[in-house]
């Protein structure tokens, strides 16, 4: 077996030998093909230049193929070293856990004292996205149900607070439970028909749901004022004073993020969380150990939508204005990217993913139009080098923390 | 006393008759084997018994409760557990977590309990963990509790599937080819394990191709061919049954 492999390797080496006709012909054919592709767009002169340049380049490349081989080896080396998860890097650094936590909390709490308003504003947005992404993490990361219309629940949360506040005069604290319950309920309503479907089909239905919600908001002029949006929403009041100042709102969001992470984490490491992961891993097996898969998928949808609703209400209260523009399909994709970037099912990972994907585009504002390109290629690179995301999902049992995995 | 009664069970997939009016009874505490050539409908029978597919016709009663039409999670709760021919573990979960999640139907903590984490919740979690370790010990996997289940060798994966079934605290266990693909050493260990389950008071039905296993441990054998029960009896009777020999070896010309 190994001998055969060695032989075929030798043969391949022969094929790339400088004397074989393939060595000359292949670069020429590739260059010709690409030049022909460009012909209709750039005219014959450019196509010819392209052809000549490409064939020379490809020749050089082929001549250096031996060198390229060592390069691929290097590439694989990089792949492997990147493949070490962040946790392992952290574990190797030997910094005591509480020190890191202390530093991190200290930094997070002290941000408003030194940062510019602009940066605080970005962080507030990041906080809202952390809540959203944690919600989606429950659905996609834990239960493994691909949801491409998650923004719908965000929109429902935001609009229900906006409407309850502007039309009925309800304050933030009385409207919040209502908008959260409404979002969960719509999650439930979507899930009842959608859960008969699996995988790609489920994704398409949820995508459709997201679009339906956006279109309703856009066209139901008498209630939502259509594309003009709803303005003049009150900020939340705390102890009788409005949270108008950015730094106050920052702490306010921070408290909500902490609550979200706390509750999602507790549910994950419980009977419910284990049932979700089991459904993600194998649905038939989980029903044959006694999990009512339909019920648990419903819970996942409703629980995820719950947090999206909360994030929506917080968003509406922060912006004091909502319009359908904020709830497009791209938004769903962004939230999903946060979850995937951070690592499906990993709570700290998803926090990091959300923060990165909010802050990075802001920092890249200088390169204007290219920033989405840079972000996109960044994500592609991540998927090549580390398809499982930045973090691995946490273990489900308490015991696991004590053993070394 | 009969634990399980299957009456005229029939399952058609379109025009294909996967099982046709199969009837048999299983005594509490016994080991029953279901044998038959490939495509005889053995796994379909298991799927019908566990609610993964619904039978076209016929009735299944378990402990005098009619369970035909029940969803699989309710059937598990009544006390029927199964394993799969092609292993279906929760791959990304550790061995211990696989067993912990399998106690789902015997525990009751809900969403709110897990957020509040009261004493009842903590107690239940502790019991789940302790029991999980116990079940792992029973199948001899206690040293691998923290291994991810897909990292286990094949034989151990099969044992883990059995441990997962035990964790649902069943009275009847359906084992779908527990020794398939095993070497003789692993096979005899598996036979030991199955006998141990019987001693623990479990009733067992197994689908098996290895005749040494079938003849060695089963008290009653049901033979299926093309969805029809062609014979039933003790190993001695089945060995001599001309219909069975014909189904396996073909007719003499």
């Amino acid at each position: 077996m190994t001998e055969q492999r060695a032989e075929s390797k030798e043969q391949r080496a022969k094929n790339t030998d400088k004397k074989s006709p393939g060595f000359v012909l292949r670069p020429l054919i590739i260059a010709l093909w690409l030049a022909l592709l460009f012909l209709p767009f750039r005219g014959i002169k450019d196509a010819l230049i392209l052809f000549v340049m490409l064939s020379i380049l490809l020749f050089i490349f082929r001549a250096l193929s031996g060198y390229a081989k060592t390069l691929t080896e290097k590439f694989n080396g990089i792949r492997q070293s990147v493949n070490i998860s962040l946790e392992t890097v952290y574990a190797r650094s030997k910094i005591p856990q509480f020190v890191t936590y202390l530093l991190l909390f200290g930094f997070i709490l002290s941000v408003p004292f030194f940062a510019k308003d602009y940066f605080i504003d970005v962080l507030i947005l990041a906080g809202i996205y952390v809540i959203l992404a944690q919600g989606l993490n429950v659905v996609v990361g834990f239960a493994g149900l691909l949801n491409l219309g998650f923004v719908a629940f965000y929109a429902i949360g935001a609009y229900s607070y906006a409407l309850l506040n502007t039309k009925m005069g309800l304050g933030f604290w009385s409207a919040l439970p209502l908008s959260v319950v409404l979002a969960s309920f719509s999650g439930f309503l979507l899930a009842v028909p959608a859960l008969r479907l699996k995988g790609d089909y489920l994704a398409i239905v949820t995508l459709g749901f997201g679009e339906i919600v956006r279109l309703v908001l856009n066209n139901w002029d008498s209630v939502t004022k259509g594309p003009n949006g709803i303005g003049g929403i009150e900020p939340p009041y705390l102890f009788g004073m409005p949270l108008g100042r950015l730094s106050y709102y920052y702490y306010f969001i921070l408290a909500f993020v902490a609550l979200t992470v706390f509750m999602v984490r507790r549910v994950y490491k419980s009977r419910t969380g284990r049932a979700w992961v089991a459904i993600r891993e194998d649905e038939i097996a989980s029903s044959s150990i006694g999990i009512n898969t339909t019920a648990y998928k419903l819970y996942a949808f409703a629980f995820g939508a719950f947090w999206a609703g909360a994030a929506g209400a917080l968003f509406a209260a922060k912006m004091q204005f909502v319009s359908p523009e904020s709830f497009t399909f791209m938004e769903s994709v962004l939230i999903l990217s946060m979850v995937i970037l951070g690592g499906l099912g990993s709570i700290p990972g998803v926090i990091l993913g959300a923060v990165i994907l909010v802050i990075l585009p802001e920092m890249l504002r200088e390169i204007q139009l290219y920033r989405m390109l840079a972000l996109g290629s960044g994500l592609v690179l991540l998927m090549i080098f580390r398809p499982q995301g930045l973090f691995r999902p946490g273990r489900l049992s308490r015991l696991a923390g004590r053993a070394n995995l | 006393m009969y634990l399980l009664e299957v009456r005229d069970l029939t399952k058609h997939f379109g025009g294909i008759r996967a099982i046709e009016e199969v009837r048999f009874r299983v005594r509490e505490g016994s080991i029953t084997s279901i044998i038959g050539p490939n495509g005889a409908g053995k796994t379909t029978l298991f799927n019908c018994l566990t609610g993964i597919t619904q039978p076209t016709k016929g009735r299944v009663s378990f402990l005098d409760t009619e369970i035909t039409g029940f969803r699989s999670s309710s059937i598990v709760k009544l006390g029927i557990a199964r394993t799969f021919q092609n292993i279906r573990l929760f791959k990304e979960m550790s061995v211990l977590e696989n067993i912990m999640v399998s106690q789902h139907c015997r525990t009751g903590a809900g969403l709110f309990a897990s957020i509040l984490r009261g004493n009842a919740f903590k107690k239940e979690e502790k019991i789940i963990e302790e029991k999980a370790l116990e079940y792992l010990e029973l199948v001899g996997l206690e040293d691998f509790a923290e291994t991810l289940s897909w990292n286990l060798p094949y034989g151990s994966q099969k044992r883990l599937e059995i441990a997962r079934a035990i964790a649902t605290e069943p009275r009847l266990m359906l084992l779908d080819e527990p020794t398939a693909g095993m070497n003789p050493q692993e096979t005899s260990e598996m036979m030991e394990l199955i006998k141990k389950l019987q001693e623990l008071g479990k009733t067992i039905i197994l689908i098996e191709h290895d005749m040494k296993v079938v003849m060695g441990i089963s008290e009653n054998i049901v033979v299926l061919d093309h969805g029809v029960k062609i014979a039933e009896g003790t190993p001695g009777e089945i060995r001599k049954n001309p219909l069975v020999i014909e189904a396996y070896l073909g007719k003499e010309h």
Side-chain angles (χ1 to χ4, degrees), chain A residues 283-345:
Chain A
E283 203 178 323
I284 288 181
S286 44
S287 73
S288 69
I289 54 161
I291 296 169
N292 185 340
T293 49
T294 316
Y296 274 83
K297 285 178 180 175
L298 279 176
Y299 294 163
F301 256 83
F303 192 60
F306 179 93
W307 294 111
L314 288 168
F315 175 76
K318 162 75 181 57
M319 296 299 172
Q320 301 176 14
F321 171 78
V322 287
S323 78
E325 246 172 75
S326 319
F327 308 107
T328 57
F329 173 61
M330 276 317 290
E331 211 64 11
S332 286
V333 173
L334 180 69
I335 305 164
L336 189 63
S337 317
M338 290 166 177
V339 176
I340 292 170
L341 171 73
L344 280 167

Side-chain angles (χ1 to χ4, degrees), chain A residues 136 139 145-153 156 182-197 201-213 297-298 301-302 305:
Chain A
L136 186 64
V139 184
L145 306 163
L146 186 51
N147 186 344
L148 291 179
F150 197 64
V151 78
F153 309 122
I156 287 167
L182 229 106
S184 309
F185 185 65
S186 52
F188 204 77
L189 277 187
L190 166 66
V192 169
L195 287 183
R196 294 164 186 276
L197 307 167
Y201 303 101
L202 176 69
I204 289 166
V205 170
T206 53
L207 192 155
F209 179 73
E211 284 304 283
I212 289 169
V213 169
K297 285 178 180 175
L298 279 176
F301 256 83

Side-chain angles (χ1 to χ4, degrees), chain A residues 24-329:
Chain A
V24 184
L25 276 178
R26 273 177 72 175
L28 285 178
I29 291 169
I30 294 169
L32 186 69
W33 180 68
L34 279 169
L36 279 176
L37 271 183
F38 268 79
L39 189 64
F41 303 107
R42 306 300 308 240
I44 194 140
K45 199 177 136 202
D46 283 344
L48 243 147
I49 293 172
L50 186 74
F51 173 69
V52 174
M53 297 282 283
L54 262 177
S55 21
I56 293 171
L57 270 174
L58 284 170
F59 263 125
I60 295 170
F61 186 75
R62 282 186 84 81
L64 293 174
S65 65
Y67 180 64
K69 210 173 133 199
T70 54
L71 265 186
T72 32
E73 266 160 29
K74 255 187 201 163
F75 176 80
N76 280 336
I78 296 173
R79 245 183 101 128
Q80 262 170 17
S81 59
V82 179
N83 217 354
I84 300 167
S85 67
L86 282 182
E87 298 103 283
T88 335
V89 173
Y90 175 72
R92 276 186 200 163
S93 68
K94 284 179 188 160
I95 306 167
Q97 213 171 31
F98 76 94
V99 175
T100 347
Y101 278 137
L102 218 65
L103 283 174
L104 204 64
F105 279 122
F107 175 73
I108 291 170
L109 287 176
S110 62
V111 163
F113 294 104
F114 59 81
K116 279 185 229 144
D117 274 2
Y118 166 70
F119 189 60
I120 299 175
D121 208 47
V122 170
L123 280 184
I124 288 172
L125 200 65
I128 291 173
Y129 275 102
V130 169
I131 299 172
L132 261 176
Q134 288 298 352
L136 186 64
N137 188 29
V138 170
V139 184
V140 184
F142 297 169
L145 306 163
L146 186 51
N147 186 344
L148 291 179
F150 197 64
V151 78
F153 309 122
Y154 183 41
I156 287 167
Y159 264 85
S160 40
Y161 173 55
L163 289 171
L164 287 168
N165 184 256
T166 54
K167 299 229 159 157
M168 298 171 67
L170 282 182
F172 181 80
W173 294 110
S174 30
L176 180 71
L178 280 172
S179 34
V180 165
V181 166
L182 229 106
S184 309
F185 185 65
S186 52
F188 204 77
L189 277 187
L190 166 66
V192 169
L195 287 183
R196 294 164 186 276
L197 307 167
K198 271 176 199 155
D200 310 350
Y201 303 101
L202 176 69
I204 289 166
V205 170
T206 53
L207 192 155
F209 179 73
E211 284 304 283
I212 289 169
V213 169
R214 189 180 62 82
L215 287 170
V216 166
L217 295 177
N218 215 0
N219 292 301
W220 195 3
D221 285 352
S222 57
V223 177
T224 64
K225 293 187 192 159
N228 294 331
I230 301 171
I233 304 165
E234 271 177 23
Y237 280 75
L238 203 61
F239 307 119
M241 62 177 188
L243 288 170
R245 262 177 60 183
L246 272 179
S247 52
Y248 293 162
Y249 206 78
Y250 173 80
Y251 289 119
F252 186 63
I253 290 283
L254 207 60
F256 266 92
V257 169
L259 186 75
T260 312
V261 170
F262 176 76
M263 290 196 6
V264 169
R265 190 170 173 279
R266 283 202 153 182
V267 173
Y268 177 61
K269 296 194 176 211
S270 78
R271 180 171 169 265
T272 313
R274 289 192 293 263
W276 282 337
V277 175
I279 291 171
R280 178 187 78 198
E281 294 296 310
D282 193 321
E283 203 178 323
I284 288 181
S286 44
S287 73
S288 69
I289 54 161
I291 296 169
N292 185 340
T293 49
T294 316
Y296 274 83
K297 285 178 180 175
L298 279 176
Y299 294 163
F301 256 83
F303 192 60
F306 179 93
W307 294 111
L314 288 168
F315 175 76
K318 162 75 181 57
M319 296 299 172
Q320 301 176 14
F321 171 78
V322 287
S323 78
E325 246 172 75
S326 319
F327 308 107
T328 57
F329 173 61

Side-chain angles (χ1 to χ4, degrees), chain A residues 262-263 265-267 269-272 274-278 280-282 284-294 296 303 395-400 402-403 405, chain B residues 52 71-73 76 82 84 88 90-94 96-97 100-102 104-105 107-111 114-117 121 124-125 128-129 133 146 148 164 168:
Chain A
F262 176 76
M263 290 196 6
R265 190 170 173 279
R266 283 202 153 182
V267 173
K269 296 194 176 211
S270 78
R271 180 171 169 265
T272 313
R274 289 192 293 263
W276 282 337
V277 175
R280 178 187 78 198
E281 294 296 310
D282 193 321
I284 288 181
S286 44
S287 73
S288 69
I289 54 161
I291 296 169
N292 185 340
T293 49
T294 316
Y296 274 83
F303 192 60
R395 307 294 344 140
L396 283 154
S397 50
R398 289 183 303 121
L399 267 183
R402 282 176 247 149
L405 262 173
Chain B
I52 287 172
R71 56 160 68 244
S72 23
S73 51
V76 180
R82 73 169 292 179
F84 294 89
R88 281 178 174 272
F90 305 125
K91 292 192 188 124
E92 290 285 332
M93 290 167 106
S94 75
L96 187 78
E97 285 160 9
M100 284 172 72
V101 69
S102 302
H104 185 91
C105 63
T107 47
L111 209 65
S114 54
I115 291 169
L116 297 173
R117 308 235 152 173
F121 176 88
E124 190 179 272
E125 284 289 296
I128 290 174
E129 259 176 31
L133 285 169
E146 293 305 326
L148 284 188
R164 209 174 58 179
T168 66

